[in-house]
Amino acid sequence: LKGNINHAVCRWCYESIPLEDFCIGAKEIGIKAIDLVGPKDWPVLKKFGLHSSMCNGAEINLVDGWNEKKFHQQLIRNYTEMIPLVAEAGYKNLICFSGNRRGKTDEEGWNNCVLGLQKLIPLAEKYKVTLVMELLNSKIDHKDYQCDKTYWGVELAKRINSENFKLL
């Protein structure tokens, strides 16, 4: 009632609803933002006065992420293009993913993630965009995902050591 709580909803949960209809419904019930919306749909959000509180569109997918060096070149290219777009649109957060473990130790995963993400941190800092790594449940619905425990994500954040890297 005091305007201190700003609710958001995640787009992928409601993909079957056309975006404009979804935005109308979201506004009607007091939603302020929609998560996981990429650049092509930002104009629709803006049309309805909604915010993209967690942008996406730079990731490859959930399983091919920063913990695997062979994806770094593509990810760096994607995020280097996306970070300025996020900032220009007036948004602040851009999601990223560790990727699946695929037999890697925690140490290998941390080292690979740091190696790739550290190359983007100066750009994220320049544009005041925060890269946000999602922790996902590997026991139930994201089998083998590496950033699946709080301690793993916290250790990664410590190693990256930037205000422009957070955990979701």
Coordinates of all heavy atoms in Angstrom, one line a residue, residues 84-131:
P84 N 25.6 -2.9 -23.6 CA 25.2 -1.6 -23.9 C 23.7 -1.4 -24.2 O 23.1 -0.4 -23.9 CB 26.1 -1.3 -25.2 CG 27.2 -2.2 -25.1 CD 26.7 -3.4 -24.4
L85 N 23.1 -2.4 -24.9 CA 21.7 -2.4 -25.2 C 20.9 -2.3 -23.9 O 19.9 -1.6 -23.8 CB 21.3 -3.6 -26.0 CG 21.9 -3.7 -27.4 CD1 21.4 -5.0 -28.1 CD2 21.5 -2.5 -28.2
V86 N 21.3 -3.1 -22.9 CA 20.5 -3.1 -21.6 C 20.6 -1.7 -21.0 O 19.6 -1.1 -20.6 CB 21.1 -4.2 -20.7 CG1 20.6 -4.0 -19.2 CG2 20.9 -5.6 -21.2
A87 N 21.8 -1.1 -21.0 CA 22.0 0.2 -20.4 C 21.2 1.3 -21.2 O 20.5 2.1 -20.6 CB 23.5 0.6 -20.4
E88 N 21.3 1.2 -22.5 CA 20.6 2.2 -23.3 C 19.1 2.2 -23.1 O 18.4 3.2 -23.3 CB 21.0 2.0 -24.8 CG 22.4 2.4 -25.2 CD 22.8 1.9 -26.5 OE1 22.0 1.6 -27.4 OE2 24.1 1.9 -26.7
A89 N 18.6 1.0 -22.9 CA 17.1 0.8 -22.6 C 16.7 1.3 -21.2 O 15.6 1.4 -20.9 CB 16.7 -0.6 -22.8
G90 N 17.7 1.6 -20.4 CA 17.4 2.1 -19.0 C 17.3 0.9 -18.0 O 16.8 1.1 -16.9
Y91 N 17.8 -0.2 -18.4 CA 17.7 -1.4 -17.5 C 19.0 -1.6 -16.8 O 20.1 -1.1 -17.2 CB 17.2 -2.6 -18.3 CG 15.9 -2.4 -18.9 CD1 15.7 -2.9 -20.3 CD2 14.8 -1.8 -18.3 CE1 14.5 -2.7 -20.9 CE2 13.6 -1.6 -18.9 CZ 13.4 -2.1 -20.2 OH 12.2 -1.9 -20.8
K92 N 19.1 -2.5 -15.8 CA 20.2 -2.7 -15.0 C 20.8 -4.1 -14.9 O 21.9 -4.3 -14.5 CB 20.0 -2.2 -13.6 CG 19.6 -0.7 -13.5 CD 20.8 0.2 -13.6 CE 20.4 1.6 -13.4 NZ 21.3 2.5 -14.0
N93 N 19.9 -5.1 -15.1 CA 20.3 -6.5 -14.8 C 20.2 -7.4 -16.0 O 19.3 -7.3 -16.8 CB 19.4 -7.1 -13.7 CG 19.5 -6.3 -12.4 OD1 20.6 -6.1 -11.9 ND2 18.3 -6.0 -11.8
L94 N 21.3 -8.2 -16.1 CA 21.4 -9.1 -17.3 C 21.7 -10.5 -16.7 O 22.8 -10.7 -16.1 CB 22.4 -8.6 -18.3 CG 22.7 -9.5 -19.5 CD1 21.4 -9.6 -20.3 CD2 23.8 -8.8 -20.4
I95 N 20.9 -11.5 -17.0 CA 21.1 -12.8 -16.5 C 22.3 -13.6 -17.2 O 22.5 -13.3 -18.4 CB 19.8 -13.6 -16.6 CG1 19.8 -14.8 -15.6 CG2 19.5 -14.1 -18.0 CD1 18.5 -15.4 -15.3
C96 N 22.9 -14.5 -16.4 CA 23.9 -15.4 -17.0 C 23.8 -16.7 -16.2 O 23.2 -16.8 -15.2 CB 25.3 -14.8 -16.9 SG 26.0 -14.5 -15.3
F97 N 24.5 -17.7 -16.8 CA 24.4 -19.1 -16.3 C 25.7 -19.7 -16.3 O 26.5 -19.6 -17.2 CB 23.4 -19.9 -17.2 CG 22.0 -19.3 -17.3 CD1 21.7 -18.6 -18.4 CD2 21.1 -19.5 -16.2 CE1 20.4 -18.0 -18.4 CE2 19.9 -19.0 -16.3 CZ 19.5 -18.2 -17.4
S98 N 25.9 -20.6 -15.2 CA 27.2 -21.3 -15.1 C 27.3 -22.4 -16.2 O 28.4 -22.6 -16.8 CB 27.3 -22.0 -13.8 OG 26.3 -23.1 -13.7
G99 N 26.2 -23.0 -16.6 CA 26.2 -24.1 -17.5 C 26.2 -25.4 -16.7 O 26.4 -25.4 -15.4
N100 N 26.1 -26.5 -17.4 CA 26.1 -27.8 -16.7 C 27.6 -28.2 -16.3 O 28.5 -27.9 -17.0 CB 25.5 -28.9 -17.6 CG 24.0 -28.9 -17.5 OD1 23.4 -28.0 -16.9 ND2 23.4 -29.9 -18.1
R101 N 27.7 -29.0 -15.3 CA 28.9 -29.4 -14.7 C 29.7 -30.3 -15.7 O 30.9 -30.1 -15.8 CB 28.7 -30.2 -13.4 CG 29.9 -30.6 -12.6 CD 29.5 -31.3 -11.3 NE 28.9 -30.4 -10.4 CZ 29.6 -29.6 -9.5 NH1 30.9 -29.6 -9.5 NH2 28.9 -28.8 -8.7
R102 N 29.1 -31.3 -16.3 CA 29.8 -32.2 -17.3 C 31.1 -32.7 -16.7 O 32.1 -32.8 -17.4 CB 30.0 -31.5 -18.6 CG 28.7 -31.0 -19.3 CD 29.1 -30.4 -20.7 NE 27.9 -30.1 -21.4 CZ 27.4 -28.9 -21.6 NH1 28.1 -27.8 -21.2 NH2 26.3 -28.7 -22.3
G103 N 31.0 -33.1 -15.5 CA 32.2 -33.8 -14.8 C 33.2 -32.9 -14.3 O 34.2 -33.3 -13.7
K104 N 33.1 -31.6 -14.4 CA 34.0 -30.6 -13.9 C 33.9 -30.5 -12.4 O 32.9 -30.6 -11.8 CB 33.8 -29.2 -14.5 CG 34.3 -29.0 -15.9 CD 34.1 -27.6 -16.4 CE 32.7 -27.3 -16.9 NZ 32.0 -28.3 -17.6
T105 N 35.1 -30.3 -11.7 CA 35.1 -30.1 -10.3 C 34.6 -28.7 -10.0 O 34.5 -27.9 -10.9 CB 36.5 -30.2 -9.7 OG1 37.3 -29.2 -10.3 CG2 37.1 -31.6 -10.0
D106 N 34.3 -28.4 -8.8 CA 33.9 -27.1 -8.4 C 35.0 -26.1 -8.8 O 34.8 -25.0 -9.4 CB 33.7 -26.9 -6.9 CG 32.4 -27.5 -6.5 OD1 31.5 -27.8 -7.3 OD2 32.2 -27.7 -5.2
E107 N 36.3 -26.4 -8.5 CA 37.4 -25.6 -8.8 C 37.5 -25.3 -10.3 O 37.7 -24.1 -10.7 CB 38.7 -26.2 -8.3 CG 39.9 -25.2 -8.3 CD 39.7 -24.1 -7.3 OE1 39.1 -24.2 -6.2 OE2 40.1 -23.0 -7.6
E108 N 37.4 -26.3 -11.1 CA 37.4 -26.1 -12.6 C 36.3 -25.1 -13.0 O 36.5 -24.2 -13.9 CB 37.3 -27.4 -13.3 CG 38.5 -28.3 -13.3 CD 38.1 -29.7 -13.9 OE1 37.2 -30.4 -13.4 OE2 38.8 -30.0 -14.9
G109 N 35.1 -25.3 -12.5 CA 34.0 -24.5 -12.8 C 34.2 -23.0 -12.4 O 34.0 -22.1 -13.2
W110 N 34.7 -22.8 -11.2 CA 35.0 -21.5 -10.7 C 36.0 -20.8 -11.6 O 35.8 -19.7 -12.0 CB 35.5 -21.5 -9.3 CG 34.4 -21.8 -8.2 CD1 33.1 -21.3 -8.2 CD2 34.6 -22.6 -7.1 NE1 32.5 -21.8 -7.1 CE2 33.4 -22.5 -6.4 CE3 35.6 -23.3 -6.5 CZ2 33.2 -23.2 -5.2 CZ3 35.4 -24.0 -5.3 CH2 34.2 -23.9 -4.7
N111 N 37.1 -21.5 -11.8 CA 38.2 -21.0 -12.6 C 37.7 -20.6 -14.0 O 38.1 -19.5 -14.5 CB 39.4 -21.9 -12.7 CG 40.1 -22.1 -11.4 OD1 40.0 -21.2 -10.5 ND2 40.8 -23.2 -11.2
N112 N 36.9 -21.4 -14.7 CA 36.5 -21.2 -16.0 C 35.5 -20.0 -16.0 O 35.6 -19.1 -16.9 CB 35.8 -22.4 -16.6 CG 36.8 -23.5 -17.0 OD1 38.0 -23.2 -17.0 ND2 36.3 -24.7 -17.2
C113 N 34.6 -20.0 -15.1 CA 33.6 -18.8 -15.0 C 34.4 -17.5 -14.8 O 34.1 -16.5 -15.4 CB 32.6 -19.1 -13.9 SG 31.3 -20.3 -14.2
V114 N 35.3 -17.5 -13.8 CA 36.1 -16.3 -13.6 C 36.8 -15.8 -14.8 O 36.8 -14.7 -15.2 CB 37.0 -16.5 -12.4 CG1 38.0 -15.3 -12.3 CG2 36.2 -16.6 -11.1
L115 N 37.5 -16.8 -15.5 CA 38.3 -16.5 -16.7 C 37.4 -15.7 -17.7 O 37.8 -14.7 -18.3 CB 38.8 -17.8 -17.3 CG 39.7 -17.6 -18.5 CD1 41.0 -16.9 -18.2 CD2 40.0 -19.0 -19.1
G116 N 36.2 -16.2 -18.0 CA 35.3 -15.6 -19.0 C 34.7 -14.3 -18.5 O 34.7 -13.3 -19.1
L117 N 34.1 -14.4 -17.3 CA 33.3 -13.3 -16.8 C 34.2 -12.1 -16.5 O 33.8 -10.9 -16.7 CB 32.5 -13.7 -15.5 CG 31.3 -14.6 -15.8 CD1 30.8 -15.3 -14.6 CD2 30.2 -13.8 -16.5
Q118 N 35.4 -12.3 -16.0 CA 36.3 -11.1 -15.7 C 36.6 -10.3 -17.0 O 36.8 -9.1 -16.9 CB 37.7 -11.6 -15.2 CG 37.6 -12.0 -13.8 CD 37.5 -10.9 -12.8 OE1 37.4 -9.7 -13.2 NE2 37.5 -11.2 -11.5
K119 N 36.4 -10.9 -18.2 CA 36.6 -10.1 -19.4 C 35.5 -9.1 -19.6 O 35.6 -8.2 -20.4 CB 36.8 -11.1 -20.6 CG 38.1 -11.8 -20.5 CD 38.2 -12.9 -21.6 CE 39.6 -13.6 -21.4 NZ 39.7 -14.8 -22.2
L120 N 34.3 -9.4 -19.0 CA 33.1 -8.6 -19.2 C 32.9 -7.5 -18.1 O 32.2 -6.6 -18.3 CB 31.9 -9.4 -19.3 CG 31.8 -10.3 -20.6 CD1 30.6 -11.2 -20.5 CD2 31.7 -9.4 -21.8
I121 N 33.5 -7.8 -17.0 CA 33.2 -6.9 -15.8 C 33.6 -5.5 -16.1 O 32.7 -4.6 -15.8 CB 34.0 -7.5 -14.5 CG1 33.3 -8.8 -14.1 CG2 33.9 -6.4 -13.4 CD1 31.9 -8.7 -13.7
P122 N 34.7 -5.1 -16.7 CA 34.9 -3.7 -17.0 C 33.8 -3.1 -17.9 O 33.4 -1.9 -17.6 CB 36.3 -3.7 -17.8 CG 37.0 -4.9 -17.3 CD 35.8 -6.0 -17.1
L123 N 33.3 -3.8 -18.8 CA 32.2 -3.3 -19.7 C 30.9 -3.1 -18.8 O 30.2 -2.1 -19.0 CB 32.0 -4.2 -20.9 CG 31.0 -3.7 -21.9 CD1 31.5 -2.5 -22.6 CD2 30.7 -4.9 -22.9
A124 N 30.6 -4.1 -18.0 CA 29.4 -4.0 -17.2 C 29.6 -2.8 -16.2 O 28.6 -2.1 -16.0 CB 29.3 -5.3 -16.4
E125 N 30.7 -2.6 -15.7 CA 31.0 -1.5 -14.8 C 30.8 -0.2 -15.5 O 30.2 0.7 -15.0 CB 32.3 -1.6 -14.1 CG 32.4 -2.7 -13.1 CD 33.8 -3.0 -12.6 OE1 34.8 -2.5 -13.1 OE2 33.9 -3.8 -11.6
K126 N 31.4 -0.1 -16.7 CA 31.2 1.1 -17.5 C 29.8 1.5 -17.8 O 29.4 2.6 -17.7 CB 32.0 0.9 -18.9 CG 31.8 2.1 -19.8 CD 32.5 1.8 -21.2 CE 32.2 2.9 -22.2 NZ 32.8 2.6 -23.5
Y127 N 29.0 0.5 -18.1 CA 27.6 0.7 -18.4 C 26.6 0.6 -17.2 O 25.4 0.7 -17.4 CB 27.1 -0.2 -19.5 CG 27.6 0.2 -20.9 CD1 28.8 -0.3 -21.4 CD2 26.9 1.2 -21.6 CE1 29.3 0.1 -22.7 CE2 27.4 1.6 -22.9 CZ 28.6 1.0 -23.4 OH 29.0 1.5 -24.6
K128 N 27.2 0.3 -16.0 CA 26.4 0.2 -14.8 C 25.3 -0.9 -15.0 O 24.2 -0.7 -14.6 CB 25.8 1.5 -14.4 CG 26.8 2.6 -14.1 CD 26.2 3.9 -13.7 CE 27.1 5.0 -13.3 NZ 28.4 5.1 -13.9
V129 N 25.7 -2.0 -15.6 CA 24.9 -3.2 -15.7 C 25.4 -4.3 -14.8 O 26.6 -4.5 -14.7 CB 24.8 -3.7 -17.2 CG1 24.2 -5.0 -17.3 CG2 24.1 -2.6 -18.1
T130 N 24.5 -5.0 -14.1 CA 24.9 -6.1 -13.3 C 24.7 -7.4 -13.9 O 23.5 -7.6 -14.4 CB 24.2 -6.0 -11.9 OG1 24.4 -4.7 -11.3 CG2 24.6 -7.1 -11.0
L131 N 25.7 -8.2 -14.0 CA 25.5 -9.6 -14.5 C 25.1 -10.4 -13.3 O 25.7 -10.4 -12.3 CB 26.9 -10.1 -15.0 CG 27.5 -9.3 -16.2 CD1 28.9 -9.8 -16.6 CD2 26.6 -9.3 -17.4

